[in-house]
C-alpha cells in the first residue's frame, strides 16, 4: 500500500512540475530603443539650456533630422540630409542607448554660453556646450573622452601663386 | 491494477510534454501580428496628428499619389519617389510588419508642428505572450495654406533602419 502511495506521489509531482511550465502567459514584453518622454523634456523651464539639450536628445531619438538640426550652431556645418543619413546609419544604435538615462550632473552659465556636464550610458561622462543664438540654445561643442566635436576645419596648405 | 495506473499516468505525461510547446496553437516560435489599418478618426480633422495618420494610411494602401499630397512643395517629393521607396525591399518589409503610428504627443510652435509617434511591430508566442518592438519616430509638419504638410521624406528614406527583424523567442 505504501509503495502504491509513493509511486502515485512521484507521478503527481512530475505532472505538477510539467503543468507549472505550461501555463498561459499574457504578459507583453517591450523591446525598443529607450527614449525620452515628453514630461522628461518639459520638466526643464522653457527657454533654458537644459530644455534645449533635452529637446535635441529627444529629436535625435525620434529620428527627426529636420527638427534636430535647428539645435546645432553653424560651426557644425551640418545639414538636415547629412544628419538624417547619420541617424539611419552610424548614429542609429547610439541614440537608442541614450534613452531616458540622460543624467545631468552640472550646469554652468557664462553669458550666452552654458556648459552641461552629463552622463550618457553609451558614452559615459560628456560635456555639452550650448550657445544662445537667434533666441535658441544651440549645441556648439560636444566632448566625450577624446571625442571633441565639431572638429576644426582642416586648413588648406598655402600654395604660392604660380607665375606667368 | 497498479501497473495499469502507472502506465496511464506515464501516457498522460507524454501527451502533456508533446503538447506543452504549442499550448493549443498551431505554431511554434513567434508569429507576427499583421498590421491594422490606420484609424484616422482617432485624431481631430485638420490637426498635424490626423495628417500623419492619413499619410500613413495612404502608404499602407500603396497609394503614392495620395501620399504625395501630404508633402509640402519644398520637400520635392513626387508620387514616383514614394512609389520607389514604398516598393523597395525595405518599404515592403516595413509596411507588412509595422502597426500604424501611435501618437504620443505633438509640439507646436506658430506654423510648425512635430508629431512624436511610436511605431510598433508585434509578435505573439503560442502561450499568448506578446513581444513588441517600438521604434520612436517624429514627423515635422508646416502649416501651408490652411493645411498641415510634411516638410521632408527622411522617414521613408530610413525605413531600412527602423524595421526590426523578429526577436529571438527564447531570449
Amino acid at each position: 500500500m505504501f509503495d502504491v502511495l509513493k509511486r502515485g506521489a512521484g507521478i503527481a509531482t512530475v505532472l505538477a512540475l510539467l503543468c507549472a511550465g505550461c501555463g498561459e502567459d499574457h504578459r507583453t514584453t517591450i523591446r525598443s530603443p529607450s527614449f525620452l518622454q515628453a514630461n522628461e523634456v518639459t520638466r526643464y523651464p522653457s527657454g533654458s539650456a537644459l530644455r534645449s539639450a533635452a529637446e535635441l536628445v529627444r529629436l535625435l531619438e525620434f529620428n527627426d533630422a529636420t527638427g534636430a538640426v535647428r539645435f546645432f550652431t553653424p560651426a557644425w556645418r551640418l545639414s538636415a540630409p547629412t544628419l538624417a543619413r547619420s541617424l539611419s546609419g552610424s548614429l542609429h544604435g547610439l541614440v537608442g542607448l541614450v534613452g531616458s538615462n540622460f543624467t545631468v550632473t552640472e550646469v554652468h552659465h557664462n553669458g550666452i554660453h552654458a556648459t552641461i556636464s552629463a552622463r550618457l550610458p553609451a558614452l559615459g561622462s560628456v560635456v555639452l556646450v550650448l550657445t544662445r543664438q537667434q533666441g535658441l540654445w544651440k549645441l556648439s561643442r560636444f566632448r566625450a573622452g577624446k571625442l571633441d566635436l565639431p572638429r576644426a576645419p582642416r586648413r588648406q596648405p598655402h600654395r604660392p601663386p604660380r607665375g606667368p | 491494477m497498479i501497473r495499469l495506473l502507472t502506465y496511464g499516468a506515464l501516457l498522460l505525461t507524454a501527451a502533456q510534454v508533446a503538447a506543452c510547446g504549442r499550448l493549443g496553437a498551431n505554431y511554434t516560435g513567434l508569429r507576427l501580428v499583421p498590421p491594422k489599418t490606420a484609424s484616422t478618426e482617432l485624431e481631430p480633422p485638420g490637426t498635424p496628428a490626423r495628417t500623419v495618420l492619413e499619410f500613413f494610411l495612404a502608404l499602407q494602401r500603396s497609394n503614392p499619389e495620395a501620399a504625395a499630397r501630404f508633402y509640402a512643395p519644398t520637400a520635392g517629393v513626387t508620387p514616383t519617389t514614394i512609389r520607389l521607396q514604398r516598393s523597395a525591399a525595405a518599404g515592403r518589409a516595413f509596411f507588412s510588419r509595422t502597426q500604424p503610428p501611435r501618437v504620443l504627443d505633438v509640439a507646436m510652435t506658430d506654423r510648425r508642428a512635430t508629431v512624436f509617434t511610436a511605431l510598433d511591430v508585434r509578435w505573439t508566442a503560442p502561450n499568448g505572450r506578446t513581444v513588441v518592438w517600438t521604434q520612436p519616430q517624429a514627423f515635422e509638419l508646416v502649416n501651408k495654406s490652411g493645411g498641415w504638410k510634411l516638410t521632408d521624406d527622411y522617414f521613408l528614406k530610413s525605413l531600412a533602419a527602423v524595421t526590426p527583424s523578429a526577436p529571438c523567442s527564447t531570449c
Side-chain angles (χ1 to χ4, degrees):
Chain A
M1 185 61 188
F2 181 72
D3 192 41
V4 175
L5 283 174
K6 207 163 71 172
R7 197 172 290 179
I11 291 165
T13 308
V14 170
L15 281 173
L17 284 170
L18 281 167
C19 288
C22 286
E24 286 203 11
D25 183 357
H26 294 288
R27 283 175 299 172
T28 298
T29 309
I30 311 270
R31 292 171 188 203
S32 73
S34 58
F35 50 87
L36 288 172
Q37 301 294 331
N39 60 359
E40 291 172 295
V41 174
T42 53
R43 69 180 173 178
Y44 300 115
S46 183
S48 66
L50 273 172
R51 173 72 165 257
S52 286
E55 282 181 15
L56 170 61
V57 169
R58 191 166 192 239
L59 289 166
L60 292 172
E61 288 172 346
F62 276 77
N63 192 29
D64 185 351
T66 304
V69 83
R70 293 196 290 265
F71 288 90
F72 289 89
T73 60
W76 288 80
R77 298 192 308 273
L78 195 62
S79 66
T82 309
L83 184 58
R85 275 194 297 276
S86 298
L87 286 173
S88 302
S90 54
L91 279 177
H92 183 68
L94 189 66
V95 293
L97 290 171
V98 175
S100 53
N101 302 312
F102 179 71
T103 315
V104 176
T105 51
E106 196 183 338
V107 184
H108 178 71
H109 278 88
N110 182 14
I112 60 162
H113 301 288
T115 306
I116 299 170
S117 301
R119 270 197 303 272
L120 302 180
L123 295 167
S125 296
V126 299
V127 176
L128 296 94
V129 181
L130 288 98
T131 306
R132 194 152 175 87
Q133 291 181 355
Q134 297 154 339
L136 190 68
W137 287 101
K138 296 184 179 189
L139 187 69
S140 54
R141 195 172 176 195
F142 177 82
R143 278 186 288 143
K146 288 179 180 176
L147 192 70
D148 192 352
L149 299 170
R151 291 193 177 92
R154 283 184 186 173
R155 287 188 177 179
Q156 294 294 322
H158 178 71
R159 289 179 183 167
R162 286 185 180 178
Chain B
M1 181 64 184
I2 292 162
R3 190 166 288 177
L4 194 69
L5 279 171
T6 309
Y7 285 141
L10 285 172
L11 200 68
L12 189 69
T13 306
Q16 264 206 316
V17 170
C20 191
R22 292 180 171 239
L23 288 165
N26 60 356
Y27 64 95
T28 53
L30 290 174
R31 173 178 273 190
L32 180 83
V33 178
K36 292 177 186 165
T37 308
S39 305
T40 54
E41 69 278 2
L42 290 173
E43 298 292 335
T47 58
R50 174 73 166 244
T51 305
V52 169
L53 291 179
E54 287 175 348
F55 164 69
F56 197 89
L57 182 63
L59 291 172
Q60 278 189 317
R61 289 177 173 165
S62 298
N63 189 344
E65 286 77 18
R69 285 196 285 273
F70 291 100
Y71 283 99
T74 49
V77 178
T78 64
T80 309
T81 54
I82 293 175
R83 189 177 292 111
L84 288 171
Q85 288 162 333
R86 175 68 179 82
S87 60
R92 279 185 279 119
F94 178 86
F95 288 101
S96 67
R97 295 177 194 177
T98 312
Q99 301 289 337
R102 276 190 293 119
V103 177
L104 302 176
D105 57 281
V106 182
M108 287 176 75
T109 52
D110 199 19
R111 293 176 58 217
R112 300 183 71 93
T114 309
V115 180
F116 292 91
T117 71
L119 298 166
D120 295 335
V121 180
R122 293 175 169 272
W123 294 270
T124 50
N127 66 351
R129 183 168 61 94
T130 305
V131 178
V132 183
W133 172 270
T134 299
Q135 175 65 42
Q137 178 68 51
F139 297 88
E140 287 284 329
L141 295 101
V142 63
N143 198 324
K144 293 258 180 182
S145 56
W148 289 99
K149 302 282 183 186
L150 295 158
T151 60
D152 61 72
D153 69 336
Y154 302 135
F155 162 65
L156 281 179
K157 283 180 178 165
S158 67
L159 290 183
V162 300
T163 309
S165 53
C168 168
S169 59
T170 52
C171 49

